[in-house]
Tab-separated table of all heavy atoms in Angstrom:
chain	number	residue	atom	x	y	z
A	91	VAL	N	243.953	-100.973	26.068
A	91	VAL	CA	242.912	-101.984	25.890
A	91	VAL	C	243.158	-103.195	26.790
A	91	VAL	O	244.297	-103.641	26.940
A	91	VAL	CB	242.894	-102.465	24.410
A	91	VAL	CG1	241.896	-103.587	24.193
A	91	VAL	CG2	242.577	-101.316	23.477
A	92	ALA	N	242.077	-103.713	27.360
A	92	ALA	CA	242.144	-105.027	28.013
A	92	ALA	C	241.471	-106.023	27.077
A	92	ALA	O	240.457	-105.703	26.456
A	92	ALA	CB	241.410	-104.992	29.344
A	93	VAL	N	242.036	-107.206	26.976
A	93	VAL	CA	241.506	-108.144	25.990
A	93	VAL	C	241.540	-109.570	26.543
A	93	VAL	O	242.489	-109.961	27.222
A	93	VAL	CB	242.296	-108.021	24.656
A	93	VAL	CG1	243.776	-108.266	24.861
A	93	VAL	CG2	241.749	-108.948	23.592
A	94	SER	N	240.473	-110.317	26.234
A	94	SER	CA	240.482	-111.738	26.596
A	94	SER	C	241.124	-112.506	25.436
A	94	SER	O	240.818	-112.243	24.267
A	94	SER	CB	239.061	-112.246	26.858
A	94	SER	OG	238.244	-112.025	25.737
A	95	VAL	N	242.013	-113.421	25.783
A	95	VAL	CA	242.783	-114.098	24.726
A	95	VAL	C	242.846	-115.609	24.940
A	95	VAL	O	243.096	-116.085	26.043
A	95	VAL	CB	244.233	-113.551	24.651
A	95	VAL	CG1	244.246	-112.154	24.078
A	95	VAL	CG2	244.935	-113.576	26.003
A	96	LYS	N	242.612	-116.328	23.856
A	96	LYS	CA	242.900	-117.751	23.814
A	96	LYS	C	244.419	-117.903	23.624
A	96	LYS	O	245.080	-116.927	23.250
A	96	LYS	CB	242.208	-118.417	22.614
A	96	LYS	CG	240.714	-118.213	22.517
A	96	LYS	CD	240.115	-118.979	21.342
A	96	LYS	CE	240.632	-118.541	19.960
A	96	LYS	NZ	240.413	-117.177	19.573
A	97	PRO	N	244.948	-119.103	23.759
A	97	PRO	CA	246.388	-119.265	23.529
A	97	PRO	C	246.833	-118.765	22.150
A	97	PRO	O	247.863	-118.088	22.031
A	97	PRO	CB	246.594	-120.774	23.681
A	97	PRO	CG	245.540	-121.177	24.664
A	97	PRO	CD	244.348	-120.335	24.323
A	98	CYS	N	246.065	-119.064	21.079
A	98	CYS	CA	246.518	-118.613	19.751
A	98	CYS	C	246.419	-117.091	19.624
A	98	CYS	O	247.210	-116.476	18.899
A	98	CYS	CB	245.753	-119.318	18.633
A	98	CYS	SG	243.965	-119.291	18.782
A	99	ASP	N	245.464	-116.483	20.348
A	99	ASP	CA	245.392	-115.012	20.343
A	99	ASP	C	246.654	-114.414	20.938
A	99	ASP	O	247.275	-113.527	20.341
A	99	ASP	CB	244.197	-114.537	21.188
A	99	ASP	CG	242.871	-114.642	20.475
A	99	ASP	OD1	242.800	-114.256	19.305
A	99	ASP	OD2	241.896	-115.102	21.101
A	100	ILE	N	247.023	-114.898	22.115
A	100	ILE	CA	248.188	-114.275	22.775
A	100	ILE	C	249.467	-114.618	22.026
A	100	ILE	O	250.403	-113.814	21.987
A	100	ILE	CB	248.290	-114.679	24.269
A	100	ILE	CG1	249.349	-113.833	24.985
A	100	ILE	CG2	248.604	-116.153	24.462
A	100	ILE	CD1	249.066	-112.371	25.025
A	101	ARG	N	249.493	-115.782	21.387
A	101	ARG	CA	250.688	-116.129	20.601
A	101	ARG	C	250.852	-115.149	19.441
A	101	ARG	O	251.955	-114.685	19.148
A	101	ARG	CB	250.598	-117.564	20.089
A	101	ARG	CG	250.688	-118.591	21.209
A	101	ARG	CD	250.509	-120.002	20.682
A	101	ARG	NE	251.652	-120.428	19.878
A	101	ARG	CZ	251.697	-121.584	19.212
A	101	ARG	NH1	250.655	-122.410	19.246
A	101	ARG	NH2	252.763	-121.913	18.513
A	102	SER	N	249.733	-114.835	18.776
A	102	SER	CA	249.842	-113.889	17.655
A	102	SER	C	250.157	-112.489	18.173
A	102	SER	O	250.950	-111.759	17.567
A	102	SER	CB	248.568	-113.890	16.806
A	102	SER	OG	247.499	-113.281	17.489
A	103	ILE	N	249.573	-112.122	19.296
A	103	ILE	CA	249.865	-110.799	19.879
A	103	ILE	C	251.349	-110.720	20.233
A	103	ILE	O	252.025	-109.718	19.968
A	103	ILE	CB	248.970	-110.549	21.114
A	103	ILE	CG1	247.525	-110.293	20.667
A	103	ILE	CG2	249.487	-109.373	21.941
A	103	ILE	CD1	246.513	-110.262	21.793
A	104	ASP	N	251.858	-111.796	20.807
A	104	ASP	CA	253.269	-111.837	21.189
A	104	ASP	C	254.174	-111.660	19.966
A	104	ASP	O	255.164	-110.919	20.008
A	104	ASP	CB	253.553	-113.181	21.874
A	104	ASP	CG	254.904	-113.176	22.557
A	104	ASP	OD1	255.089	-112.378	23.495
A	104	ASP	OD2	255.780	-113.956	22.136
A	105	GLU	N	253.809	-112.332	18.871
A	105	GLU	CA	254.604	-112.200	17.649
A	105	GLU	C	254.510	-110.776	17.093
A	105	GLU	O	255.487	-110.254	16.546
A	105	GLU	CB	254.139	-113.216	16.593
A	105	GLU	CG	254.505	-114.656	16.918
A	105	GLU	CD	256.010	-114.909	16.875
A	105	GLU	OE1	256.676	-114.411	15.954
A	105	GLU	OE2	256.514	-115.596	17.787
A	106	LEU	N	253.346	-110.163	17.224
A	106	LEU	CA	253.198	-108.785	16.729
A	106	LEU	C	253.945	-107.800	17.633
A	106	LEU	O	254.469	-106.782	17.159
A	106	LEU	CB	251.711	-108.419	16.624
A	106	LEU	CG	250.949	-109.146	15.505
A	106	LEU	CD1	249.439	-108.948	15.637
A	106	LEU	CD2	251.413	-108.679	14.126
A	107	ILE	N	254.000	-108.108	18.917
A	107	ILE	CA	254.794	-107.267	19.827
A	107	ILE	C	256.265	-107.344	19.423
A	107	ILE	O	256.963	-106.328	19.352
A	107	ILE	CB	254.596	-107.720	21.298
A	107	ILE	CG1	253.198	-107.323	21.792
A	107	ILE	CG2	255.675	-107.110	22.204
A	107	ILE	CD1	252.819	-107.906	23.139
A	108	LYS	N	256.726	-108.560	19.112
A	108	LYS	CA	258.129	-108.727	18.696
A	108	LYS	C	258.419	-107.942	17.425
A	108	LYS	O	259.557	-107.560	17.160
A	108	LYS	CB	258.427	-110.207	18.453
A	108	LYS	CG	258.535	-111.006	19.745
A	108	LYS	CD	258.516	-112.488	19.447
A	108	LYS	CE	258.522	-113.298	20.748
A	108	LYS	NZ	258.158	-114.699	20.526
A	109	ARG	N	257.385	-107.735	16.624
A	109	ARG	CA	257.559	-106.979	15.381
A	109	ARG	C	257.224	-105.487	15.563
A	109	ARG	O	257.071	-104.763	14.600
A	109	ARG	CB	256.647	-107.578	14.287
A	109	ARG	CG	257.132	-108.915	13.778
A	109	ARG	CD	256.005	-109.712	13.134
A	109	ARG	NE	256.506	-110.916	12.476
A	109	ARG	CZ	256.908	-112.024	13.132
A	109	ARG	NH1	256.834	-112.069	14.460
A	109	ARG	NH2	257.358	-113.060	12.471
A	110	HIS	N	257.079	-105.077	16.813
A	110	HIS	CA	256.769	-103.675	17.145
A	110	HIS	C	255.452	-103.207	16.541
A	110	HIS	O	255.298	-102.038	16.186
A	110	HIS	CB	257.903	-102.737	16.687
A	110	HIS	CG	259.245	-103.173	17.150
A	110	HIS	ND1	259.601	-103.240	18.477
A	110	HIS	CD2	260.327	-103.631	16.465
A	110	HIS	CE1	260.828	-103.707	18.585
A	110	HIS	NE2	261.296	-103.958	17.379
A	111	LYS	N	254.521	-104.118	16.378
A	111	LYS	CA	253.222	-103.755	15.809
A	111	LYS	C	252.169	-103.551	16.903
A	111	LYS	O	251.099	-103.007	16.642
A	111	LYS	CB	252.740	-104.835	14.831
A	111	LYS	CG	253.608	-104.961	13.595
A	111	LYS	CD	253.537	-103.696	12.792
A	111	LYS	CE	254.779	-103.500	11.965
A	111	LYS	NZ	254.871	-102.158	11.391
A	112	ILE	N	252.432	-104.050	18.079
A	112	ILE	CA	251.560	-103.795	19.227
A	112	ILE	C	252.463	-103.342	20.376
A	112	ILE	O	253.522	-103.937	20.622
A	112	ILE	CB	250.776	-105.063	19.639
A	112	ILE	CG1	249.734	-105.415	18.568
A	112	ILE	CG2	250.089	-104.869	20.989
A	112	ILE	CD1	248.941	-106.680	18.854
A	113	ASN	N	252.043	-102.290	21.045
A	113	ASN	CA	252.795	-101.788	22.192
A	113	ASN	C	252.351	-102.559	23.442
A	113	ASN	O	251.205	-102.425	23.865
A	113	ASN	CB	252.527	-100.290	22.347
A	113	ASN	CG	253.257	-99.700	23.549
A	113	ASN	OD1	253.892	-100.430	24.323
A	113	ASN	ND2	253.160	-98.394	23.703
Side-chain angles (χ1 to χ4, degrees):
Chain A
V91 176
V93 58
S94 57
V95 288
K96 305 183 298 300
C98 51
D99 281 315
I100 190 63
R101 292 176 70 186
S102 71
I103 288 170
D104 192 63
E105 289 293 318
L106 290 169
I107 288 171
K108 286 167 184 165
R109 288 158 172 75
H110 309 296
K111 294 296 154 192
I112 291 178
N113 179 355

